[in-house]
Amino acid sequence: MTVLDQVLTEHFARHRDAALVADTRGVLTGAELAGAAGRFAAEAAAWWNGTGATRRDGRVRVLVSAANSAAYVAAYAGILDAGAVPFLIDPALGGDEFSSVVESCGIDVVLHDRDLPATARPGARTELGGFRLTEVAGGPRPQLLAGTEVCRFTSGTSGTPNCIEFSGTAVRNAAVAWKEATALEPADRVLCFAGLFNGLAYNTSLLASILAGACLWLPSGLPSAGHVTRFLRELAPTRLVGFPALYEALLRKEGEVPELAGVRVALSSAAPLSEQTAQDLLRRHGLAVSNYYGIAEAGPLTFDPAPTPEGGLGLPLPGVRFRLDDGEIKVRSESMGSRYLNVPGAFERKVGADGFYATADEGFFDDQGSLHLRGRVGKALNIAGRKLDGEEIRRVVLDAGCADAVVFADRKNNGDPVLVAVVAGAGAPDERALRSWCHARLAAHKVPERFVRVEAIPRTSLGKLRMAAVQELFHEAIATSPAR
């Protein structure tokens, strides 16, 4: 029995009569989760034994590509119970990214609730636990570490997502630290709009809630203001978990949202929640949001039990140690991943001999010990020997009426660097107007030489920029535009 299988078995029994996981289709108690997981494990193992998937190296690799649901949690527990390894991935991944993950990680089976991308090469299929199981032909099979029990992925903002191997001990440590630091209790009702594949939900809501005996609610659908308000009204949650888009949607709703009064802890992560948004939420709704700090490779790292809009990202969680090297945040945690399965050596290069992981984030700690971020290491743009702040230029471009924008350095055909901006939004001015606007507000050397307008800036489902896709759109646009 693995660490996580043992932990789940123990706590399903401990909270056998408590409602642990729920969605719009029903509620599962600890006893019901244990039963559903056991049935899934037995039937899944019988099926993939028949397909031959277990003959590769004994541990079947199951790529879980599905939306949040109580059945997802039961299947996750069942995969672990069957001795297989779940690989939790964003179900919104594009076909090329999906196929790259299957190939580079040696995936055997996909558990999914929607059609597979056209790029998949499906084999045998069955249905189980409300999902489809499909055998796939993975590529060369990199060896998993002996202690690996779960794999999760980076957001893939600059290409194929990196597959992070986690030991069961690391996952358990993250959940225990979060439960203790945030005082998660059996009486808590956690309303989680973040995908369980993402650290925001995985580390703060899944195992932590089961350990505490709290009820985890997993609604489906986009977190529009009306959708969120309806669940707030019906469930009266004590904790709300979501990305900044959820909180921004609440601000777009006219009038008060009295249902927020019972929320004791509101969590946001991934893309930054702006200070202005945090101030408006506190002023209009009395909602203080903890914009905590966590990274995929090292787990949850900070928490602020009494957040303020300008108060930073909170204090270190138990078992977390920080160090600043010339402003760069380095961290060591008891919930750290082991390595990248599909990118040999890349993870190890980020970890020093002392075990501290280099995050590439810049930051500082205030007098109260709360962490604040400044930006990313090495993200200054260098154009003709001048270092520019791309975020400063982006803010000016956005103020011109663009809904979204990215500013970055590219190369001309002759190899010279060029400052460019890709903008989106129905209200975005044309190139001439944008250039004039920027000239009136920035030094001449800070004005982008090229502006390209697109329908939408490519982002992940978490709101993170997909830089490789942005650059591709830019190159396509200039290739088809009239010569200048």
Side-chain angles (χ1 to χ4, degrees), residues 118-453:
T119 53
R121 293 180 291 166
R125 295 186 179 186
T126 191
E127 294 189 5
L128 180 58
F131 299 98
R132 286 172 274 179
L133 286 178
T134 302
E135 187 181 23
V136 290
R141 195 173 179 84
Q143 188 69 35
L144 286 167
L145 294 173
T148 296
E149 295 186 22
V150 174
C151 290
R152 293 179 39 243
F153 294 82
T154 60
S155 56
T157 53
S158 59
T160 300
N162 293 342
C163 177
I164 312 167
E165 295 185 56
F166 288 94
S167 69
T169 300
V171 174
R172 180 192 60 195
N173 289 345
V176 170
W178 188 261
K179 171 183 171 290
E180 293 178 352
T182 67
L184 185 59
E185 300 174 345
D188 276 311
R189 295 175 300 280
V190 182
L191 179 58
C192 178
F193 282 92
L196 290 172
F197 65 89
N198 180 264
L200 174 58
Y202 187 77
N203 290 319
T204 71
S205 304
L206 182 52
L207 185 55
S209 294
I210 293 171
L211 292 181
C215 185
L216 172 59
W217 254 92
L218 299 168
S220 58
L222 296 174
S224 64
H227 195 53
V228 174
T229 303
R230 178 170 66 85
F231 278 103
L232 288 169
R233 184 183 308 115
E234 294 177 359
L235 304 178
T238 59
R239 297 195 175 203
L240 180 61
V241 180
F243 300 112
L246 180 153
Y247 300 102
E248 291 162 358
L250 288 175
L251 285 177
R252 289 193 292 270
K253 183 176 176 61
E254 294 183 4
E256 302 299 317
V257 184
E259 296 84 1
L260 288 169
V263 176
R264 294 188 293 103
V265 176
L267 296 172
S268 178
S269 190
L273 182 73
S274 73
E275 185 174 321
Q276 185 62 57
T277 297
Q279 290 173 347
D280 291 344
L281 286 165
L282 191 60
R283 175 180 53 82
R284 284 187 53 189
H285 303 305
L287 185 68
V289 180
S290 292
N291 194 22
Y292 88 99
Y293 182 59
I295 55 176
E297 292 85 351
L301 301 172
T302 67
F303 176 71
D304 189 345
T308 60
E310 66 286 344
L313 301 173
L315 307 175
L317 292 172
V320 174
R321 294 172 57 197
F322 284 101
R323 192 178 71 215
L324 299 180
D325 283 352
D326 294 327
E328 181 180 8
I329 299 169
K330 295 186 177 181
V331 65
R332 183 173 181 172
S333 76
E334 295 177 359
S335 55
M336 195 105 79
S338 306
R339 66 174 185 181
Y340 298 135
L341 175 66
N342 57 349
V343 192
F347 187 94
E348 291 83 348
R349 288 192 290 271
K350 299 179 182 180
V351 181
D354 54 3
F356 278 78
Y357 177 87
T359 68
D361 288 325
E362 288 186 335
F364 66 95
F365 290 90
D366 62 24
D367 293 340
Q368 285 71 47
S370 183
L371 177 66
H372 295 251
L373 296 184
R374 282 200 176 103
R376 295 284 287 174
V377 173
K379 287 297 181 181
L381 305 177
N382 193 326
I383 305 293
R386 296 177 183 265
K387 290 190 175 180
L388 311 178
D389 182 350
E391 186 57 32
E392 173 198 8
I393 302 167
R394 178 178 180 269
R395 287 194 295 268
V396 171
V397 172
L398 288 174
D399 287 344
C402 301
D404 201 357
V406 185
V407 176
F408 59 96
D410 203 82
R411 292 281 176 181
K412 298 179 182 180
N413 290 336
N414 63 4
D416 290 343
V418 57
L419 185 65
V420 302
V422 175
V423 304
D430 62 22
E431 182 171 358
R432 178 175 295 182
L434 278 171
R435 183 171 286 104
S436 177
W437 172 274
C438 291
H439 270 297
R441 291 161 178 80
L442 295 167
H445 68 275
K446 295 182 178 181
V447 177
E449 184 174 332
R450 295 299 306 265
F451 291 87
V452 166
R453 181 171 169 175

Side-chain angles (χ1 to χ4, degrees), residues 100-123:
S100 178
V101 165
V102 170
E103 290 284 333
S104 65
C105 297
I107 298 298
D108 298 305
V109 175
V110 182
L111 180 147
H112 53 112
D113 60 0
R114 64 203 69 195
D115 291 340
L116 294 180
T119 53
R121 293 180 291 166

